[in-house]
Amino acid sequence: MIDSTRSRYRFITSGVCAMSFLCGTSQAMAVPLDNSHIAQIRAFLPMASAVPMTERLPIDGEWMINTIGKRIRIEGGRAYAIDPWVHLFVLKIQPSMVVLKDMQRTGPGEYGGYDLPLMGSFTGRLQPDGSLKVSVQGTMMPAQYTLRPVRIDDPMSFDMEKSGQYDGPGNEEDPGYGYEPEPEYEPEPGMGEPPADPDAGEAPVSPW
């Protein structure tokens, strides 16, 4: 029964993704719940309570998805919906459903993770105005959207991140940077020389 439901979900998702592609959009399609007249099903997304938090990030807080005007909350390595919306015309995303997971800081102002609704890895780059420009390598096609901050948990850390002064995970140097080769091995005096023959002064003895 579960396999049948998942197969139906994949079929519907693939069909809608194809329709979205034919419409010529590279953005995540969404419509308000109240304005949709198409049969809808609950999105197969985990709830925030089922996804453990990891380390906190300087971008933790409430954000607005610019393409659909809906809010999400980034918190401890995952992001979940605050507002409900319909993804790809038929999938109902409800509050507290996780939409981004495995989020981590990959460099100064740079983040990575996995976008669950678009089913692909994403990269995010913090802009000077504080927005986060996101690119997703989705299963069906790539997508781009922008997250705009509404309320940040730690404004000081966020401001430091924007200015490039934040010191946290992702700032580590490349392991190969500054590598110095080990000095060549030099044998100790006397090593590598043939041993002295204690009987060198005597005539050799024939084995026959």
Side-chain angles (χ1 to χ4, degrees):
M1 182 67 178
I2 295 177
D3 292 339
S4 176
T5 302
R6 289 179 177 174
S7 298
R8 183 178 61 179
Y9 170 72
R10 292 193 185 98
F11 175 78
I12 294 174
T13 301
S14 300
V16 175
C17 284
M19 181 168 56
S20 175
F21 177 76
L22 292 174
C23 290
T25 179
S26 62
Q27 303 290 343
M29 298 298 296
V31 294
L33 282 172
D34 296 338
N35 297 333
S36 177
H37 302 288
I38 302 174
Q40 300 162 357
I41 60 174
R42 185 177 184 273
F44 291 85
L45 298 176
M47 304 302 288
S49 57
V51 180
M53 294 175 60
T54 57
E55 62 184 355
R56 292 192 175 276
L57 300 171
I59 60 172
D60 278 6
E62 187 177 313
W63 295 76
M64 179 80 71
I65 305 174
N66 72 320
T67 54
I68 59 176
K70 301 298 180 178
R71 296 172 300 158
I72 64 173
R73 174 168 175 76
I74 299 176
E75 183 181 56
R78 77 276 201 276
Y80 54 87
I82 296 178
D83 301 318
W85 74 84
V86 177
H87 175 66
L88 295 175
F89 304 107
V90 295
L91 303 177
K92 296 190 294 183
I93 295 179
Q94 299 172 345
S96 295
M97 282 186 173
V98 175
V99 292
L100 302 175
K101 69 172 187 175
D102 300 333
M103 298 182 67
Q104 58 182 335
R105 186 173 184 267
T106 57
E110 297 180 351
Y111 295 84
Y114 191 85
D115 189 306
L116 290 170
L118 295 178
M119 296 180 289
S121 299
F122 78 84
T123 57
R125 181 181 293 274
L126 200 61
Q127 305 299 304
D129 64 355
S131 63
L132 190 68
K133 187 174 182 180
V134 180
S135 297
V136 184
Q137 295 300 320
T139 300
M140 295 295 295
M141 58 185 174
Q144 293 184 347
Y145 55 87
T146 299
L147 297 177
R148 300 195 178 280
V150 176
R151 184 165 46 253
I152 299 298
D153 292 353
D154 187 349
M156 182 178 296
S157 295
F158 184 68
D159 289 340
M160 292 179 66
E161 177 71 303
K162 285 195 300 181
S163 63
Q165 301 177 11
Y166 182 77
D167 184 17
N171 283 1
E172 296 84 357
E173 294 181 347
D174 189 327
Y177 179 79
Y179 171 77
E180 297 181 0
E182 297 182 0
E184 295 184 2
Y185 173 74
E186 297 182 1
E188 297 180 4
M191 293 186 63
E193 299 178 1
D197 186 355
D199 300 324
E202 300 181 4
V205 179
S206 173
W208 295 281

